[in-house]
């Protein structure tokens, strides 16, 4: 759905708020805190970029064919990296005495996969700006 940059920014602000509420009132997990901080930094950088280019009332055309293809490619790469990481991590946890549990392995893998997906997608979408 193509919305204005202001609406998209307000929707992006909900993710860090939900994560901080989850951290302070529900889980007290460091993984949740790290995810909340990363999401906050992402929202702040997005807001700075929108403000710098004065796009608050303009329509955000983020779903064209190129950006969708880049998002699908990043998701595909992240999917396979996550499967390999979980498989290798499960084997390591069963055969060694690492102080890591399976839920923590899953949580760190999901957090890492989101970060890798965002990095790959943003790199592919912004590659043409720098060339």
């Amino acid at each position: 759905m193509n919305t204005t940059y202001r609406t998209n920014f307000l929707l992006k602000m909900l993710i860090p708020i939900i994560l901080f509420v989850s951290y302070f009132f529900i889980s007290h997990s460091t993984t949740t805190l790290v995810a909340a901080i990363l999401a906050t930094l992402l929202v702040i950088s997005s807001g700075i970029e929108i403000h710098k280019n004065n796009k608050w009332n303009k329509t955000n055309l983020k779903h064209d064919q190129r950006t969708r293809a880049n998002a699908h490619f990043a998701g595909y790469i992240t999917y396979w990296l996550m499967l390999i990481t979980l498989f290798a991590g499960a084997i390591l946890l069963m055969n060694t005495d690492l102080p890591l549990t399976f839920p923590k392995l899953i949580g760190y893998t999901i957090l890492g996969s989101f970060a890798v997906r965002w990095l790959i997608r943003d790199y592919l979408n912004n590659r043409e700006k720098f060339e």
Side-chain angles (χ1 to χ4, degrees):
M1 174 171 71
N2 294 328
T3 59
T4 62
Y5 282 93
R6 179 181 50 232
T7 305
N8 193 20
F9 180 76
L10 292 174
L11 291 174
K12 282 183 181 179
M13 281 179 31
L14 290 176
I15 295 171
I17 291 170
I18 290 169
L19 287 172
F20 277 118
V21 167
S22 173
Y23 173 73
F24 286 115
F25 297 112
I26 298 171
S27 69
H28 302 294
S29 169
T30 56
T31 307
T32 308
L33 181 62
V34 169
I37 291 171
L38 288 176
T40 302
L41 292 175
L42 186 67
V43 169
I44 289 170
S45 68
S46 173
I48 289 171
E49 182 179 339
I50 292 169
H51 185 72
K52 187 170 50 172
N53 295 330
N54 198 15
K55 293 183 178 181
W56 288 107
N57 293 320
K58 295 180 183 175
T59 302
N60 184 6
L61 300 173
K62 64 178 181 177
H63 295 294
D64 62 347
Q65 184 177 3
R66 180 183 59 85
T67 56
R68 274 196 305 257
N70 290 340
H72 287 297
F73 179 73
Y76 180 75
I77 296 295
T78 305
Y79 170 78
W80 284 105
L81 284 175
M82 191 166 64
L83 280 178
I84 291 169
T85 303
L86 287 174
F87 182 71
I91 290 174
L92 282 174
L93 286 178
M94 289 189 314
N95 294 327
T96 61
D97 292 332
L98 291 175
L100 189 67
T101 60
F102 285 108
K104 284 185 179 181
L105 172 69
I106 293 169
Y108 292 141
T109 303
I110 290 171
L111 180 64
S113 68
F114 282 137
V116 168
R117 181 178 173 271
W118 289 332
L119 287 173
I120 292 172
R121 184 194 63 201
D122 290 343
Y123 171 75
L124 291 174
N125 287 339
N126 295 326
R127 180 176 51 184
E128 295 174 357
K129 289 181 183 178
F130 298 114
E131 290 178 352

